Amino acid sequence: SNIERVAKKRGCQVVKTYCGHGIGELFHTAPNVPHYAKNKAVGVMKAGHIFTIEPMINLGGWRDRTWPDDWTAVTADGSKSAQFEHTFLVTEDGYEIL
């Protein structure tokens, strides 16, 4: 994964618990889009598909924890983290950032 490669070059780790996803009639749909190498995701994007990439990048290790509210995610080692999301549309000749 290019995201993981760039993160590691800068001394960061990519959380493996969360991934990008397809967007369709339901908000979170297949495919899963992992942001780390050696994942088991399969599939091919085709024109008309909409998906997100939304890596969580940590200054420490890649492991995370979820608070008792079952929503808030934090790093397991207490390190700083950042998360962002971009949505893409696959077109006949490439992609469009939405």
Side-chain angles (χ1 to χ4, degrees):
S1 162
N2 285 336
I3 293 170
E4 185 178 49
R5 182 177 47 79
V6 170
K8 284 186 172 184
K9 272 185 171 179
R10 291 163 174 78
C12 298
Q13 296 289 320
V14 176
V15 172
K16 297 178 181 180
T17 308
Y18 306 105
C19 61
H21 54 82
I23 304 253
E25 290 182 21
L26 300 174
F27 181 62
H28 290 94
T29 65
N32 288 328
V33 183
H35 306 110
Y36 54 92
K38 298 182 182 175
N39 62 69
K40 296 179 181 178
V42 296
V44 175
M45 293 293 191
K46 297 180 182 176
H49 288 175
I50 299 173
F51 69 98
T52 68
I53 58 167
E54 47 185 298
M56 183 176 173
I57 310 289
N58 296 349
L59 286 175
W62 63 265
R63 289 181 170 81
D64 69 292
R65 291 188 182 143
T66 303
W67 283 3
D69 64 8
D70 289 326
W71 180 257
T72 306
V74 296
T75 57
D77 61 9
S79 62
K80 292 182 179 181
S81 183
Q83 190 273 336
F84 56 91
E85 180 172 342
H86 293 289
T87 305
F88 296 86
L89 165 66
V90 179
T91 64
E92 291 293 337
D93 57 353
Y95 65 93
E96 180 181 334
I97 300 172
L98 302 177

